[in-house]
Amino acid sequence: MTEAAAIEKLADFKKRILAGQADFATLARENSQDGSAKEGGDLGWANPGMFVPEFEKVMSALGPNQISDPLVSRFGVHLVQVLERREAPISPRDQREMVRGMLREKKQNEAYALWAQEVRGRAYVEFRDAPQ
């Protein structure tokens, strides 16, 4: 399925859910292609920094019982529903994991930028006049 078709399909799902014609969990079980499909799309409680930034940004902006518009991440197209929020202290272990994840992502981005710069440096581009 193309990205545009997936976005259109998920937008239709959102309309059906908001109209009361369908249930988020049922649609997730029937249509989701990830590991959460069996649980009706339930990802459980999530700590900040647990998901990719584009997913996290949309999820953080939602209030309880709100559904996002279709969002595109590096893993595909998603529809996010926040059921409820809770305030819980972050344990030192979770803090370390969050920092490790941030550092890992920063190092990956730096390594990618360095690699891309090396590839550009090795590239040979020759401009030629069109044959006459």
Side-chain angles (χ1 to χ4, degrees), residues 83-102:
L83 297 176
E84 58 184 311
R85 295 193 175 276
R86 69 177 177 182
E87 295 291 326
I90 299 175
S91 72
R93 180 176 176 260
D94 289 339
Q95 287 177 347
R96 276 193 303 277
E97 287 303 315
M98 286 173 49
V99 171
R100 280 187 183 135
M102 290 170 27

Side-chain angles (χ1 to χ4, degrees), residues 3 5 10 18 26 39 41 50 68 74-76 79 87 89 97 99 115 117 119-120 122 128-129:
E3 187 176 291
L10 291 179
L18 293 176
T26 304
E39 291 83 30
M50 195 169 153
S68 72
R74 61 188 105 166
F75 298 109
L79 198 59
E87 295 291 326
E97 287 303 315
V99 171
W115 172 80
Q117 185 178 9
V119 169
R120 279 189 223 108
R122 290 189 310 244
R128 296 184 180 191
D129 292 331

Side-chain angles (χ1 to χ4, degrees), residues 6-57:
I7 290 171
E8 186 178 326
K9 185 175 184 178
L10 291 179
D12 179 58
F13 287 172
K14 179 181 177 180
K15 288 178 190 172
R16 289 174 48 198
I17 293 166
L18 293 176
Q21 299 171 346
D23 177 54
F24 187 94
T26 304
L27 289 174
R29 276 188 207 94
E30 295 170 356
N31 298 283
S32 183
Q33 297 176 359
D34 68 8
S36 70
K38 287 183 260 180
E39 291 83 30
D42 190 348
L43 298 173
W45 290 105
N47 293 319
M50 195 169 153
F51 300 111
V52 293
E54 50 271 346
F55 193 94
E56 185 101 14
K57 181 180 174 186

